[in-house]
Amino acid sequence: MRHFLSLADYTQDELLDMLKLAIDLKQAWQQGGNEPLLRGKTLAMVFQKPSLRTRVSFDMAMRHLGGDALYLSPNEIGLGKREAISDISRVLSRYVEAVMARVFAHEHVLELARYSAVPVINGLSDFNHPCQAMADMLTILERFGDLKGLNLTYVGDGNNVAVSLLFACARLGLNFTIASPEGYDLPANALAMGEEMAQETGITIRQVRDPHEAVRGAQVIYTDTWVSMGQEEEAEMRKKAFPPYQVNEQLVSEAEPEVIVMHCLPAHRGHEITDQVADGPHSVIFDQAENRMHAQKAILVRLLT
Ligand code: CP
Ligand code: NVA
């Protein structure tokens, strides 16, 4: 039995296999529907934080594949508050075939997995967001036909989304550049892991301060919120540090002409991304959102069949 907690736990071949399956499942769905590959299976979806995409895309993925999904809201089971995580995990394992969890502390999704008798999927933690990065790689693959050798530049906070993108790039052969203000770099342990993974693919990883230097030569520009869920008390401080890192038309014009602009959403328009860019010709943000569903179908099928 495998869990899906971090892209670092998967090989390049395994990730490419999932992306290929996602493409097949997407095509089948577009042509009328998916086979009921997960008939009789139920996914419990545990949320400590709000969500639009993760909640709806997992729910619809299960339905399209003939299975079912249960939404457990932040107040419902009180992960680690009403009940110990180890107990919750062992109880859920008796009812459902898989668990997806969105948590604050990454340790909590690891603990769920440690005690679970069924696969656990990380639906975002404070450390990473692997399902998002799979949807992102699917989106890039659709646009460029290949992943290897592309230059992806992440502009903004070295957060959970940035960590999973680094891991995806390191495993799948995209050069990764991050431009972030001082104090908002990638966590050192994530960078070290990314560098180790990069040895196999030979990609370059760059950390720079200047967003303009960072986007030169980029085929992909990616950004995310300056204030992640759980960081609300830092909002004022962060809003002072990040404005030079806004993805606007000027910055996009400094990248390659065919550049695509990505954002995991929710977007804070006028902060990390302008309306002109989010709604402009380079933006693929809604394809990314749709691809959450297709990428997660592939993850679910690989874990549950
Ligand atoms: N991108 C993403 O995970 O969105 P939600 O927070 O709405 O699930
Ligand atoms: N970095 C953001 C991503 C939301 C999908 C957060 O953690 O809030």
Side-chain angles (χ1 to χ4, degrees), residues 239-261:
K239 279 177 191 155
K240 286 194 189 104
F242 280 100
Y245 294 82
Q246 182 186 68
V247 175
N248 50 36
E249 284 180 307
Q250 175 57 42
L251 194 68
V252 173
S253 75
E254 295 167 24
E256 290 297 290
E258 75 273 23
V259 69
I260 59 171
V261 177

PDB file of all heavy atoms in Angstrom, residues 239-261:
ATOM      1  N   LYS A 239       2.525  41.900   3.275  1.00  0.00           N
ATOM      2  CA  LYS A 239       2.065  42.800   2.207  1.00  0.00           C
ATOM      3  C   LYS A 239       3.060  43.940   1.979  1.00  0.00           C
ATOM      4  O   LYS A 239       3.025  44.602   0.942  1.00  0.00           O
ATOM      5  CB  LYS A 239       0.667  43.318   2.517  1.00  0.00           C
ATOM      6  CG  LYS A 239      -0.394  42.292   2.137  1.00  0.00           C
ATOM      7  CD  LYS A 239      -1.794  42.717   2.491  1.00  0.00           C
ATOM      8  CE  LYS A 239      -2.743  41.540   2.338  1.00  0.00           C
ATOM      9  NZ  LYS A 239      -3.938  41.645   3.160  1.00  0.00           N
ATOM     10  N   LYS A 240       3.976  44.153   2.934  1.00  0.00           N
ATOM     11  CA  LYS A 240       5.028  45.161   2.728  1.00  0.00           C
ATOM     12  C   LYS A 240       6.204  44.567   1.956  1.00  0.00           C
ATOM     13  O   LYS A 240       6.852  45.245   1.180  1.00  0.00           O
ATOM     14  CB  LYS A 240       5.522  45.678   4.087  1.00  0.00           C
ATOM     15  CG  LYS A 240       4.529  46.602   4.768  1.00  0.00           C
ATOM     16  CD  LYS A 240       5.178  47.371   5.924  1.00  0.00           C
ATOM     17  CE  LYS A 240       4.107  48.098   6.708  1.00  0.00           C
ATOM     18  NZ  LYS A 240       3.782  47.458   7.995  1.00  0.00           N
ATOM     19  N   ALA A 241       6.466  43.288   2.177  1.00  0.00           N
ATOM     20  CA  ALA A 241       7.671  42.670   1.586  1.00  0.00           C
ATOM     21  C   ALA A 241       7.478  42.264   0.121  1.00  0.00           C
ATOM     22  O   ALA A 241       8.437  42.246  -0.652  1.00  0.00           O
ATOM     23  CB  ALA A 241       8.076  41.447   2.408  1.00  0.00           C
ATOM     24  N   PHE A 242       6.238  41.929  -0.260  1.00  0.00           N
ATOM     25  CA  PHE A 242       6.043  41.236  -1.538  1.00  0.00           C
ATOM     26  C   PHE A 242       5.709  42.069  -2.780  1.00  0.00           C
ATOM     27  O   PHE A 242       5.828  41.540  -3.896  1.00  0.00           O
ATOM     28  CB  PHE A 242       4.995  40.127  -1.381  1.00  0.00           C
ATOM     29  CG  PHE A 242       5.538  38.865  -0.751  1.00  0.00           C
ATOM     30  CD1 PHE A 242       5.334  38.588   0.590  1.00  0.00           C
ATOM     31  CD2 PHE A 242       6.273  37.968  -1.503  1.00  0.00           C
ATOM     32  CE1 PHE A 242       5.844  37.429   1.168  1.00  0.00           C
ATOM     33  CE2 PHE A 242       6.789  36.813  -0.943  1.00  0.00           C
ATOM     34  CZ  PHE A 242       6.572  36.541   0.406  1.00  0.00           C
ATOM     35  N   PRO A 243       5.274  43.340  -2.661  1.00  0.00           N
ATOM     36  CA  PRO A 243       4.874  44.038  -3.900  1.00  0.00           C
ATOM     37  C   PRO A 243       5.872  44.001  -5.052  1.00  0.00           C
ATOM     38  O   PRO A 243       5.449  43.850  -6.206  1.00  0.00           O
ATOM     39  CB  PRO A 243       4.566  45.465  -3.418  1.00  0.00           C
ATOM     40  CG  PRO A 243       4.020  45.224  -2.046  1.00  0.00           C
ATOM     41  CD  PRO A 243       4.889  44.115  -1.474  1.00  0.00           C
ATOM     42  N   PRO A 244       7.201  44.060  -4.829  1.00  0.00           N
ATOM     43  CA  PRO A 244       8.102  43.958  -5.988  1.00  0.00           C
ATOM     44  C   PRO A 244       8.004  42.610  -6.709  1.00  0.00           C
ATOM     45  O   PRO A 244       8.544  42.453  -7.804  1.00  0.00           O
ATOM     46  CB  PRO A 244       9.500  44.124  -5.380  1.00  0.00           C
ATOM     47  CG  PRO A 244       9.282  44.746  -4.042  1.00  0.00           C
ATOM     48  CD  PRO A 244       7.936  44.298  -3.569  1.00  0.00           C
ATOM     49  N   TYR A 245       7.330  41.654  -6.100  1.00  0.00           N
ATOM     50  CA  TYR A 245       7.243  40.303  -6.665  1.00  0.00           C
ATOM     51  C   TYR A 245       5.886  40.051  -7.323  1.00  0.00           C
ATOM     52  O   TYR A 245       5.504  38.925  -7.586  1.00  0.00           O
ATOM     53  CB  TYR A 245       7.535  39.259  -5.567  1.00  0.00           C
ATOM     54  CG  TYR A 245       8.965  39.375  -5.100  1.00  0.00           C
ATOM     55  CD1 TYR A 245       9.333  40.334  -4.158  1.00  0.00           C
ATOM     56  CD2 TYR A 245       9.964  38.584  -5.651  1.00  0.00           C
ATOM     57  CE1 TYR A 245      10.646  40.492  -3.766  1.00  0.00           C
ATOM     58  CE2 TYR A 245      11.288  38.732  -5.267  1.00  0.00           C
ATOM     59  CZ  TYR A 245      11.630  39.684  -4.326  1.00  0.00           C
ATOM     60  OH  TYR A 245      12.938  39.846  -3.959  1.00  0.00           O
ATOM     61  N   GLN A 246       5.162  41.132  -7.604  1.00  0.00           N
ATOM     62  CA  GLN A 246       3.876  40.970  -8.294  1.00  0.00           C
ATOM     63  C   GLN A 246       4.098  40.493  -9.739  1.00  0.00           C
ATOM     64  O   GLN A 246       4.959  41.013 -10.453  1.00  0.00           O
ATOM     65  CB  GLN A 246       3.143  42.320  -8.328  1.00  0.00           C
ATOM     66  CG  GLN A 246       1.778  42.214  -8.998  1.00  0.00           C
ATOM     67  CD  GLN A 246       1.122  43.580  -9.149  1.00  0.00           C
ATOM     68  OE1 GLN A 246       1.590  44.425  -9.928  1.00  0.00           O
ATOM     69  NE2 GLN A 246       0.075  43.803  -8.385  1.00  0.00           N
ATOM     70  N   VAL A 247       3.286  39.534 -10.158  1.00  0.00           N
ATOM     71  CA  VAL A 247       3.330  39.097 -11.558  1.00  0.00           C
ATOM     72  C   VAL A 247       2.357  39.983 -12.348  1.00  0.00           C
ATOM     73  O   VAL A 247       1.139  39.839 -12.256  1.00  0.00           O
ATOM     74  CB  VAL A 247       2.990  37.591 -11.683  1.00  0.00           C
ATOM     75  CG1 VAL A 247       2.928  37.178 -13.153  1.00  0.00           C
ATOM     76  CG2 VAL A 247       4.040  36.756 -10.949  1.00  0.00           C
ATOM     77  N   ASN A 248       2.952  40.934 -13.072  1.00  0.00           N
ATOM     78  CA  ASN A 248       2.151  41.874 -13.862  1.00  0.00           C
ATOM     79  C   ASN A 248       2.624  41.815 -15.322  1.00  0.00           C
ATOM     80  O   ASN A 248       3.527  41.048 -15.666  1.00  0.00           O
ATOM     81  CB  ASN A 248       2.261  43.293 -13.280  1.00  0.00           C
ATOM     82  CG  ASN A 248       3.721  43.692 -13.063  1.00  0.00           C
ATOM     83  OD1 ASN A 248       4.590  43.325 -13.850  1.00  0.00           O
ATOM     84  ND2 ASN A 248       3.993  44.428 -11.992  1.00  0.00           N
ATOM     85  N   GLU A 249       1.988  42.624 -16.156  1.00  0.00           N
ATOM     86  CA  GLU A 249       2.286  42.531 -17.598  1.00  0.00           C
ATOM     87  C   GLU A 249       3.749  42.830 -17.907  1.00  0.00           C
ATOM     88  O   GLU A 249       4.334  42.223 -18.801  1.00  0.00           O
ATOM     89  CB  GLU A 249       1.363  43.469 -18.381  1.00  0.00           C
ATOM     90  CG  GLU A 249      -0.039  42.900 -18.503  1.00  0.00           C
ATOM     91  CD  GLU A 249      -0.974  43.806 -19.287  1.00  0.00           C
ATOM     92  OE1 GLU A 249      -1.075  45.005 -18.929  1.00  0.00           O
ATOM     93  OE2 GLU A 249      -1.608  43.320 -20.238  1.00  0.00           O
ATOM     94  N   GLN A 250       4.339  43.774 -17.159  1.00  0.00           N
ATOM     95  CA  GLN A 250       5.738  44.105 -17.386  1.00  0.00           C
ATOM     96  C   GLN A 250       6.623  42.885 -17.146  1.00  0.00           C
ATOM     97  O   GLN A 250       7.453  42.523 -17.991  1.00  0.00           O
ATOM     98  CB  GLN A 250       6.164  45.268 -16.463  1.00  0.00           C
ATOM     99  CG  GLN A 250       7.648  45.617 -16.518  1.00  0.00           C
ATOM    100  CD  GLN A 250       8.138  45.974 -17.926  1.00  0.00           C
ATOM    101  OE1 GLN A 250       7.455  46.683 -18.668  1.00  0.00           O
ATOM    102  NE2 GLN A 250       9.311  45.467 -18.302  1.00  0.00           N
ATOM    103  N   LEU A 251       6.395  42.216 -16.002  1.00  0.00           N
ATOM    104  CA  LEU A 251       7.228  41.052 -15.668  1.00  0.00           C
ATOM    105  C   LEU A 251       7.036  39.936 -16.705  1.00  0.00           C
ATOM    106  O   LEU A 251       8.008  39.324 -17.152  1.00  0.00           O
ATOM    107  CB  LEU A 251       6.887  40.538 -14.258  1.00  0.00           C
ATOM    108  CG  LEU A 251       7.906  39.560 -13.668  1.00  0.00           C
ATOM    109  CD1 LEU A 251       9.238  40.247 -13.370  1.00  0.00           C
ATOM    110  CD2 LEU A 251       7.372  38.906 -12.387  1.00  0.00           C
ATOM    111  N   VAL A 252       5.791  39.703 -17.088  1.00  0.00           N
ATOM    112  CA  VAL A 252       5.512  38.631 -18.062  1.00  0.00           C
ATOM    113  C   VAL A 252       6.205  38.930 -19.397  1.00  0.00           C
ATOM    114  O   VAL A 252       6.737  38.028 -20.054  1.00  0.00           O
ATOM    115  CB  VAL A 252       3.988  38.449 -18.248  1.00  0.00           C
ATOM    116  CG1 VAL A 252       3.678  37.460 -19.374  1.00  0.00           C
ATOM    117  CG2 VAL A 252       3.349  37.970 -16.938  1.00  0.00           C
ATOM    118  N   SER A 253       6.268  40.211 -19.766  1.00  0.00           N
ATOM    119  CA  SER A 253       6.882  40.580 -21.052  1.00  0.00           C
ATOM    120  C   SER A 253       8.390  40.327 -21.056  1.00  0.00           C
ATOM    121  O   SER A 253       9.010  40.301 -22.117  1.00  0.00           O
ATOM    122  CB  SER A 253       6.600  42.050 -21.376  1.00  0.00           C
ATOM    123  OG  SER A 253       7.411  42.882 -20.562  1.00  0.00           O
ATOM    124  N   GLU A 254       8.978  40.135 -19.889  1.00  0.00           N
ATOM    125  CA  GLU A 254      10.422  39.900 -19.808  1.00  0.00           C
ATOM    126  C   GLU A 254      10.785  38.419 -19.925  1.00  0.00           C
ATOM    127  O   GLU A 254      11.954  38.058 -19.955  1.00  0.00           O
ATOM    128  CB  GLU A 254      10.963  40.479 -18.490  1.00  0.00           C
ATOM    129  CG  GLU A 254      10.821  42.005 -18.438  1.00  0.00           C
ATOM    130  CD  GLU A 254      11.053  42.586 -17.054  1.00  0.00           C
ATOM    131  OE1 GLU A 254      11.736  41.940 -16.245  1.00  0.00           O
ATOM    132  OE2 GLU A 254      10.535  43.692 -16.782  1.00  0.00           O
ATOM    133  N   ALA A 255       9.767  37.552 -19.963  1.00  0.00           N
ATOM    134  CA  ALA A 255      10.016  36.107 -20.106  1.00  0.00           C
ATOM    135  C   ALA A 255       9.989  35.733 -21.584  1.00  0.00           C
ATOM    136  O   ALA A 255       9.942  36.599 -22.461  1.00  0.00           O
ATOM    137  CB  ALA A 255       8.957  35.336 -19.330  1.00  0.00           C
ATOM    138  N   GLU A 256      10.036  34.432 -21.892  1.00  0.00           N
ATOM    139  CA  GLU A 256       9.957  33.978 -23.279  1.00  0.00           C
ATOM    140  C   GLU A 256       8.590  34.352 -23.868  1.00  0.00           C
ATOM    141  O   GLU A 256       7.587  34.393 -23.146  1.00  0.00           O
ATOM    142  CB  GLU A 256      10.140  32.452 -23.342  1.00  0.00           C
ATOM    143  CG  GLU A 256      11.538  31.984 -23.014  1.00  0.00           C
ATOM    144  CD  GLU A 256      12.576  32.487 -24.007  1.00  0.00           C
ATOM    145  OE1 GLU A 256      12.566  32.030 -25.159  1.00  0.00           O
ATOM    146  OE2 GLU A 256      13.390  33.353 -23.624  1.00  0.00           O
ATOM    147  N   PRO A 257       8.509  34.570 -25.176  1.00  0.00           N
ATOM    148  CA  PRO A 257       7.227  34.996 -25.768  1.00  0.00           C
ATOM    149  C   PRO A 257       6.097  33.983 -25.564  1.00  0.00           C
ATOM    150  O   PRO A 257       4.937  34.353 -25.432  1.00  0.00           O
ATOM    151  CB  PRO A 257       7.533  35.130 -27.261  1.00  0.00           C
ATOM    152  CG  PRO A 257       9.001  35.008 -27.412  1.00  0.00           C
ATOM    153  CD  PRO A 257       9.600  34.514 -26.148  1.00  0.00           C
ATOM    154  N   GLU A 258       6.447  32.686 -25.510  1.00  0.00           N
ATOM    155  CA  GLU A 258       5.398  31.653 -25.377  1.00  0.00           C
ATOM    156  C   GLU A 258       5.088  31.327 -23.917  1.00  0.00           C
ATOM    157  O   GLU A 258       4.413  30.341 -23.621  1.00  0.00           O
ATOM    158  CB  GLU A 258       5.817  30.377 -26.128  1.00  0.00           C
ATOM    159  CG  GLU A 258       6.885  29.527 -25.453  1.00  0.00           C
ATOM    160  CD  GLU A 258       8.332  29.935 -25.766  1.00  0.00           C
ATOM    161  OE1 GLU A 258       8.553  31.104 -26.146  1.00  0.00           O
ATOM    162  OE2 GLU A 258       9.233  29.088 -25.617  1.00  0.00           O
ATOM    163  N   VAL A 259       5.575  32.171 -23.004  1.00  0.00           N
ATOM    164  CA  VAL A 259       5.440  31.875 -21.565  1.00  0.00           C
ATOM    165  C   VAL A 259       3.976  31.650 -21.153  1.00  0.00           C
ATOM    166  O   VAL A 259       3.069  32.301 -21.672  1.00  0.00           O
ATOM    167  CB  VAL A 259       6.069  33.012 -20.715  1.00  0.00           C
ATOM    168  CG1 VAL A 259       5.266  34.308 -20.808  1.00  0.00           C
ATOM    169  CG2 VAL A 259       6.216  32.591 -19.255  1.00  0.00           C
ATOM    170  N   ILE A 260       3.780  30.673 -20.257  1.00  0.00           N
ATOM    171  CA  ILE A 260       2.459  30.527 -19.639  1.00  0.00           C
ATOM    172  C   ILE A 260       2.555  30.991 -18.185  1.00  0.00           C
ATOM    173  O   ILE A 260       3.604  30.862 -17.547  1.00  0.00           O
ATOM    174  CB  ILE A 260       1.911  29.083 -19.720  1.00  0.00           C
ATOM    175  CG1 ILE A 260       2.837  28.081 -19.043  1.00  0.00           C
ATOM    176  CG2 ILE A 260       1.643  28.689 -21.170  1.00  0.00           C
ATOM    177  CD1 ILE A 260       2.235  26.679 -18.900  1.00  0.00           C
ATOM    178  N   VAL A 261       1.462  31.556 -17.700  1.00  0.00           N
ATOM    179  CA  VAL A 261       1.430  32.054 -16.319  1.00  0.00           C
ATOM    180  C   VAL A 261       0.485  31.167 -15.514  1.00  0.00           C
ATOM    181  O   VAL A 261      -0.651  30.919 -15.929  1.00  0.00           O
ATOM    182  CB  VAL A 261       0.974  33.522 -16.254  1.00  0.00           C
ATOM    183  CG1 VAL A 261       0.873  33.989 -14.808  1.00  0.00           C
ATOM    184  CG2 VAL A 261       1.951  34.401 -17.029  1.00  0.00           C
TER     185      VAL A 261
END
